[in-house]
Amino acid sequence: MKRIILGILACFFLPGAFWFESLFTPDAKLWPRWERHAPASMLKIDHSHWDSLLKAYVRRGPDGINRFAYSRLSAADVNRLHKYVRHMTHISISDYRRHEQLAYWINLYNALTVQLIATHFPVNSIREIELENSGWGGGPWEAKLVVIEGIELSLNDIEHRILRPIWRDPRIHYAVNCASIGCPNLRRDAYESDTVNRVLDSAARDFINNRRGVMLENGEVIVSSLYVWFRPDFGASDEAVLEHLRRYAGPTLRDALKGRKTIADHRYDWRLNSAD
């Protein structure tokens, strides 16, 4: 029923499609409780189990898209994934410095997403997964999946109430992965506090210089829907988004975007990022 309602609304608001889609994007609304951190802390979090799983199952295709071999996950490695998520739930993340927290939340989000797919595989898209309390828009993002410091959290809580509002960094969108072809790549290594800033830059360049991020078609600029859904994070205007794209674009793309002021359309591929 909700898909029918969305379809009717989409037709009604078709002339303002960019605006319409943004209505269903969660705002970056700070959950103040998660601002707690320990600037002087030297504690480190072990992400080695997650790192080894990524190296074993993430495969880069000739199209530049990283895919995860869900169908090849062994029972032992599924257990390792569950063990890693449990390990993360036993950490009092408020006792860590900001960079350590940033790597923690990104890795946890991505591990929970892979865990969701592995648990429900085979599926054609993450949007096919319906969980209790999934929310009106469908998909698993509103369901409470994990308990951290005694508090139940969903994927949307992690992304939109912790990562986006605390760090206020548009590069976050290149780090969290929604198990879809259209999403920025799930990297082949875990995020680590000591290198997270450099790796976020690399993730931004990787996505923007791939056709999923931005392309020119018939002389017009087509971008990923990420830049429409999360437009305020990139500067709230076409010109601001284009300036962001130019910042990470390679020479050829940067030249093609020079002088551009408008975005013609956006696209996103929700098919599962599954490797054979």
Side-chain angles (χ1 to χ4, degrees):
M1 176 59 70
K2 57 192 171 189
R3 290 190 178 91
I4 294 173
I5 294 172
L6 282 173
I8 293 170
L9 288 172
C11 292
F12 182 76
F13 287 111
L14 191 57
F18 278 27
W19 173 81
F20 171 77
E21 292 202 16
S22 69
L23 291 177
F24 296 93
T25 302
D27 292 330
K29 187 176 181 180
L30 177 65
W31 193 337
R33 183 257 177 270
W34 297 106
E35 288 187 293
R36 300 176 190 172
H37 64 292
S41 173
M42 299 302 291
L43 294 171
K44 297 281 290 181
I45 298 171
D46 180 11
H47 298 291
S48 58
H49 284 296
W50 176 232
D51 187 79
S52 63
L53 287 168
L54 291 170
K55 286 179 168 57
Y57 291 101
V58 175
R59 300 169 184 180
R60 192 174 185 88
D63 55 4
I65 298 174
N66 286 1
R67 293 171 170 82
F68 195 94
Y70 303 103
S71 64
R72 297 181 181 272
L73 265 173
S74 67
D77 281 341
V78 170
N79 286 333
R80 286 174 65 203
L81 176 59
H82 294 330
K83 181 178 178 181
Y84 172 72
V85 171
R86 286 197 300 272
H87 164 66
M88 299 287 267
T89 67
H90 294 151
I91 290 171
S92 180
I93 193 58
S94 299
D95 296 333
Y96 290 78
R97 63 192 176 111
R98 275 281 188 250
H99 272 31
E100 202 69 40
Q101 290 180 338
L102 178 57
Y104 169 90
W105 290 117
I106 292 171
N107 287 329
L108 178 59
Y109 185 101
N110 290 340
L112 286 170
T113 300
V114 170
Q115 186 180 57
L116 269 171
I117 301 299
T119 302
H120 293 85
F121 195 81
V123 291
N124 296 313
S125 169
I126 189 172
R127 296 197 296 181
E128 294 178 5
I129 299 173
E130 296 282 352
L131 303 176
E132 186 177 355
N133 299 321
S134 286
W136 189 79
W141 294 282
E142 285 290 345
K144 302 299 183 182
L145 300 179
V146 68
V147 178
I148 307 296
E149 295 186 1
I151 299 175
E152 292 185 326
L153 295 174
S154 67
L155 290 172
N156 273 353
D157 289 331
I158 295 172
E159 182 176 5
H160 307 300
R161 302 192 67 192
I162 299 173
L163 282 168
R164 289 175 63 207
I166 291 177
W167 279 274
R168 297 183 177 276
D169 188 334
R171 297 176 303 167
I172 294 295
H173 296 293
Y174 305 120
V176 293
N177 184 273
C178 66
S180 301
I181 294 293
C183 194
N185 278 335
L186 178 64
R187 296 182 65 85
R188 296 192 69 246
D189 45 21
Y191 281 81
E192 298 286 351
S193 60
D194 295 341
T195 58
V196 66
N197 190 62
R198 173 176 57 79
V199 174
L200 286 173
D201 273 346
S202 174
R205 289 191 295 269
D206 187 45
F207 184 66
I208 287 169
N209 290 284
N210 185 277
R211 287 176 58 83
R212 290 168 302 160
V214 57
M215 72 178 98
L216 270 78
E217 195 172 271
N218 298 322
E220 295 184 317
V221 178
I222 313 296
V223 300
S224 165
S225 298
L226 288 176
Y227 301 112
V228 174
W229 299 334
F230 303 108
R231 189 180 174 110
D233 294 5
F234 297 98
S237 70
D238 280 8
E239 290 190 53
V241 170
L242 288 163
E243 178 57 33
H244 172 84
L245 297 175
R246 284 190 288 267
R247 187 175 308 134
Y248 296 100
T252 302
L253 178 60
R254 192 181 307 119
D255 286 346
L257 294 177
K258 190 177 297 182
R260 302 274 180 171
K261 295 184 177 181
T262 59
I263 293 169
D265 203 355
H266 63 101
R267 296 175 185 168
Y268 202 81
D269 188 342
W270 280 105
R271 290 177 299 164
L272 190 68
N273 63 341
S274 180
D276 295 333

